[in-house]
Amino acid sequence: MSNKVSKLLKRIKDGDWNYLRKRLLPRGNPILYIGSQLVFELTDTEKFNKLYTLVNKMCDHDIKIVQDKDVPQLCATFPESAELFKRRFAEGHKKCYVSLKNGEMTAHLWVTEPQMEYFNTNSLWKFYSGVTDAIWCFDGYVKPEHRMRGLFPYLMGAIRNDYLTKGYRTQFGETDANNDMSLNTHLKVGYEIIWRITIVSILGLKIYFARNEQSGNKKISFRYALNIKNRVL
């Protein structure tokens, strides 16, 4: 008998009904969730560098990594994501880069480094990159009043330059497949789609249907994880 089944039977025997209820009816995703996401790789570095050189001359924003003392300002600037951001800082393995103008935070972009050659996407799908010199850029947002001025590639370029000095040469990213603005921005700066994933979640069981855009190969994977809707793409 598997270890997971033994633990489940013990929970039932001990009458741990609160635990079982949370597993069967997870908060924020009680019955059914269907979504899709895209995974990108930065492949056209020449295109990326040309664009960054251009916007670097235009943008008058400062770039910094958020420290503990900056978290209250970050959460106050982006209140709709405050609880999510606090949880990420508590986990401790993600970094948040922000741009600032006159002390005001104008955009954010999050970065994580690989965990044993893989990344957890926001849908909790495990992406195996096959390399250890990569970073994962996700959850980028530019305040509406600062858009259309090259701020996103400016912020991304600053992050790339920072990590190049540390030996990280490969760069991946993700977005919701229905987010046309994010999709177009990624393609504009030199990314290409490498995986297209459909996520089906039933009572917390996640089923991932993934298709590689280069090879056409398809694969299915499974994972049990709670609160997928709290991990916003």
Side-chain angles (χ1 to χ4, degrees):
M1 185 180 297
S2 72
N3 189 41
K4 288 186 178 180
V5 172
S6 298
K7 288 182 178 179
L8 176 61
L9 292 177
K10 186 177 186 305
R11 295 272 189 182
I12 295 174
K13 181 179 179 180
D14 294 343
D16 194 350
W17 305 116
N18 189 48
Y19 169 85
L20 296 172
R21 176 186 61 77
K22 289 181 179 179
R23 297 293 282 184
L24 291 173
L25 298 172
R27 178 173 57 85
N29 184 27
I31 299 176
L32 177 66
Y33 171 85
I34 300 176
S36 56
Q37 72 176 131
L38 304 172
V39 172
F40 302 91
E41 181 179 357
L42 179 60
T43 56
D44 193 339
T45 55
E46 181 179 353
K47 182 178 183 180
F48 182 92
N49 291 334
K50 285 182 178 180
L51 181 59
Y52 176 67
T53 300
L54 176 64
V55 297
N56 191 36
K57 298 176 181 178
M58 300 167 49
C59 288
D60 56 352
H61 296 238
D62 299 317
I63 305 293
K64 69 177 295 185
I65 300 174
V66 174
Q67 306 295 328
D68 289 343
K69 63 182 178 61
D70 305 312
V71 173
Q73 182 184 2
L74 177 70
C75 292
T77 305
F78 307 100
E80 66 284 352
S81 301
E83 293 304 315
L84 176 64
F85 290 172
K86 290 176 183 177
R87 186 162 64 250
R88 287 176 182 167
F89 279 106
E91 292 172 353
H93 60 270
K94 300 179 177 72
K95 292 182 180 179
C96 181
Y97 283 73
V98 293
S99 58
L100 301 99
K101 185 171 184 180
N102 300 323
E104 173 199 359
M105 292 183 178
T106 55
H108 63 71
L109 182 59
W110 289 76
V111 181
T112 187
E113 297 167 10
Q115 302 95 40
M116 300 298 290
E117 299 186 7
Y118 76 85
F119 296 92
N120 271 320
T121 69
N122 279 334
S123 72
L124 302 180
W125 182 63
K126 282 190 175 182
F127 165 61
Y128 289 90
S129 65
V131 297
T132 56
D133 70 335
I135 58 171
W136 181 265
C137 295
F138 67 103
D139 198 2
Y141 180 80
V142 179
K143 296 179 71 173
E145 60 269 30
H146 296 283
R147 291 174 184 169
M148 307 303 293
R149 301 175 187 176
L151 190 53
F152 183 74
Y154 175 64
L155 181 58
M156 186 172 286
I159 293 172
R160 179 166 174 77
N161 287 341
D162 189 6
Y163 272 92
L164 281 173
T165 63
K166 303 174 185 178
Y168 289 85
R169 306 194 64 82
T170 312
Q171 196 161 319
F172 298 102
E174 67 175 314
T175 190
D176 188 294
N178 295 315
N179 189 338
D180 291 336
M181 181 179 294
S182 179
L183 168 60
N184 292 334
T185 299
H186 277 83
L187 297 178
K188 181 179 179 181
V189 300
Y191 278 86
E192 68 173 321
I193 302 169
I194 56 174
W195 284 98
R196 190 179 299 269
I197 306 100
T198 298
I199 310 109
V200 179
S201 177
I202 305 172
L203 295 176
L205 173 65
K206 311 303 186 278
I207 308 171
Y208 302 97
F209 302 91
R211 181 182 186 276
N212 186 290
E213 292 294 284
Q214 279 78 41
S215 66
N217 291 341
K218 299 177 182 179
K219 63 180 180 178
I220 301 176
S221 56
F222 304 85
R223 188 172 186 181
Y224 194 95
L226 304 182
N227 299 335
I228 192 172
K229 292 193 73 174
N230 287 341
R231 298 171 180 265
V232 180
L233 282 171

